[in-house]
Amino acid sequence: MVDTATAPVVSAVRMSERRRLGVIAVAAGAVAMAVSLIGSWIPSLWGDEAASLLSAQRSFGSLFMMLGHVDAVHGLYYVLLHFWVHLAGTSPFAIRLPSAVGVGIGAAAVAWMSGRMRGARFAVIAGIVAAVLPRLTYAGEEARSYATDAALCAVLCAIVVEIALQGRRSPALWTAFGIVLVFATYLFLYNLLIVIAIGAFLVMTPTARRHLRGFVTATGLVVLASAPLLVFAYLERAQVSYLADEAQVTSSSVFVQMWFGAVPFAIVGWLLILVAVGDLVLRTERNRREARALAAGAAPVRSLGTEKPDVVLLGLCWLVLPMGILIATSVVVHGFTARYGTIAAPAAAILIAAGIDRLVSLTGRRWVGIIGIAAVLVAAAPVWASQRGPYSMNESDWSEIAATVQANAHQGDGIVFDEGVRPSRRTRLAMSTDPAAFSTVKDVTLRVPYAQNHTWYDSAYTVEQAAALGRFHGIDRVWVVEYSMPGHVYLWGTQSLEQLGYHETAKYSLHRSVIYLFTR
């Protein structure tokens, strides 16, 4: 009789808690999206974003031709961006907006699952940290899939938390899990690594082990559905062979750049993560002692086996396992770069928040939490600001190149770009991503436009080849845009132009390029 009378009250309380968490999650998502969106239009686009934009601007026939040779693992993102740019345009703000939305969704999922496992206070802290975590604020202003990858991994973990909190089987939720996972996998293959973290979490959570069958079934079906992508990824594996040319796994890339962006934030972040993990270790050991005492016949101190799933355990599995696998296998398969850690960035936010929450619990002082959040915000602020400078995206100065040419070129001038550097650094991409600024000049070395190429960028003739084809006939002014590094300018086309009778008459030194005007 008592149970019947109290059931509606308990149900109403639970509904009220969920509504409160829903409000917190939506607020966290809105703040996170705004933080990522503000200033996102300032940095020049860079090589990877050019790959996104140029791929999205192709016709579907051209795009699928390209995906058969390169970038199949990003194919779904390019298809979605294709529709978006036709709707919103191709400005830096427009093509980066979906990434800011992705960060918002990820922060909302982090706040929701954190609150479901540990309450509203923890949801607020986790939402704030997710909104300002440097890896996420960078992903939120970059026209790549990484922000959405992180969001989908967070949504997958939130679904699993809901399943783990239920005492019964959840075929509908596992179906939703499978749908989101296959979408995430086709968006970016490495998202599939999240299942390793989720599987470990379920195995190490006694009350959630009953759901392992549903997890294995859903994951197995997704792997089968993703088989075509896996085949293409294997066939196109040479595309990331450049990762072997530089040391990708370093103490800085793993402990600083992967999630924190700068040493001060890394110090704050890792200290708070250690607090959270240390608390998990102590609680785990306490549970083992109590379980042994109970088995020996002692009276239980508290109800064992009925606790909610542990948010710190989930965060730790998520942070360590996917990236740990990539790092460990990078000796054999060169598939690691710090940006791939974006899929685990929400886990870093959860663990940092758990460290703050634990310090509040230990001291019983709310102001300790305020200080912890303030420390995170203060450490994040300079990183956020540095991400929104004009050259923040891999030192790219394409906006400067475009502005200089637009301001100084005459109608009918020729233009030559540095083709001697890696494709993502080629100065030609300044024109490819902002053709309107170059409307007065003639691209005299263009061989095959990107839309007709098997790869994502244009192919070009050398100056000598273009001259043999008569491309310089009637052109007395030629602009040359060379790539430069501090202390070194790459001279790809200038000597050839001098042999054709041109001489340098003007020079503009920019951040990562030098623009010359040659006349004859």
Side-chain angles (χ1 to χ4, degrees), residues 58 62-63 65-67 69-70 446-460:
R58 290 172 176 257
S62 172
L63 176 59
M65 173 191 69
M66 184 197 79
L67 295 177
H69 294 83
V70 295
L446 178 64
R447 184 171 188 169
V448 181
Y450 68 87
Q452 300 171 21
N453 249 343
H454 288 165
T455 190
W456 59 269
Y457 48 86
D458 297 332
S459 63

Side-chain angles (χ1 to χ4, degrees), residues 20-300:
R20 187 182 182 192
L21 282 180
V23 171
I24 293 171
V26 170
V31 170
M33 184 179 75
V35 170
S36 288
L37 198 58
I38 294 172
S40 62
W41 58 87
I42 297 173
S44 294
L45 298 178
W46 75 290
D48 280 16
E49 292 183 299
S52 296
L53 177 57
L54 302 188
S55 299
Q57 289 181 303
R58 290 172 176 257
S59 66
F60 279 128
S62 172
L63 176 59
F64 289 122
M65 173 191 69
M66 184 197 79
L67 295 177
H69 294 83
V70 295
D71 267 3
V73 295
H74 299 294
L76 180 57
Y77 175 71
Y78 294 157
V79 170
L80 295 174
L81 193 62
H82 172 89
F83 290 109
W84 175 251
V85 298
H86 281 77
L87 177 67
T90 60
S91 69
F93 176 82
I95 65 172
R96 288 166 174 165
L97 176 57
S99 295
V101 173
V103 170
I105 293 171
V110 164
W112 174 264
M113 77 177 91
S114 297
R116 291 285 285 150
M117 287 188 280
R118 195 177 278 194
R121 181 183 75 187
F122 185 62
V124 171
I125 299 172
I128 292 172
V129 177
V132 301
L133 191 77
R135 175 50 62 187
L136 291 176
T137 57
Y138 181 89
E141 66 159 357
E142 184 183 38
R144 296 297 279 175
S145 70
Y146 300 116
T148 309
D149 298 334
L152 291 172
C153 288
V155 169
L156 286 166
C157 289
I159 292 173
V160 170
V161 167
E162 292 301 316
I163 293 171
L165 288 170
Q166 295 186 9
R168 61 184 185 280
R169 291 183 178 179
S170 309
L173 286 176
W174 280 124
T175 300
F177 175 87
I179 292 170
V180 175
L181 181 58
V182 75
F183 182 85
T185 302
Y186 273 90
L187 193 69
F188 184 47
L189 180 61
Y190 283 176
N191 291 336
L192 190 58
L193 292 172
I194 192 64
V195 302
I196 298 171
I198 290 172
F201 168 69
L202 292 174
V203 167
M204 290 188 282
T205 304
T207 57
R209 289 173 189 160
R210 66 172 72 93
H211 300 294
L212 280 170
R213 179 179 293 181
F215 166 73
V216 171
T217 301
T219 301
L221 291 173
V222 168
V223 171
L224 288 175
S226 304
L229 180 63
L230 294 169
V231 172
F232 273 103
Y234 177 77
L235 294 175
E236 297 176 5
R237 65 192 183 279
Q239 187 183 353
V240 294
S241 60
Y242 72 92
L243 294 176
D245 298 334
E246 302 175 5
Q248 298 293 330
V249 180
T250 64
S251 58
S252 176
S253 68
V254 174
F255 295 107
V256 180
Q257 299 304 323
M258 189 146 59
W259 297 302
F260 306 131
V263 171
F265 195 104
I267 292 172
V268 173
W270 283 117
L271 286 175
L272 290 169
I273 288 173
L274 286 175
V275 171
V277 174
D279 177 56
L280 173 65
V281 171
L282 292 175
R283 286 187 288 107
T284 301
E285 182 58 29
R286 183 188 65 190
N287 288 344
R288 286 176 179 171
R289 287 199 304 268
E290 291 181 2
R292 286 195 296 267
L294 184 61

Side-chain angles (χ1 to χ4, degrees), residues 312-342:
V312 178
L313 177 60
L314 173 61
L316 187 60
C317 292
W318 186 359
L319 188 78
V320 172
L321 294 179
M323 299 317 299
I325 290 170
L326 286 183
I327 291 170
T329 58
S330 64
V331 178
V332 179
V333 180
H334 302 292
F336 171 81
T337 183
R339 279 197 305 161
Y340 295 164
T342 310

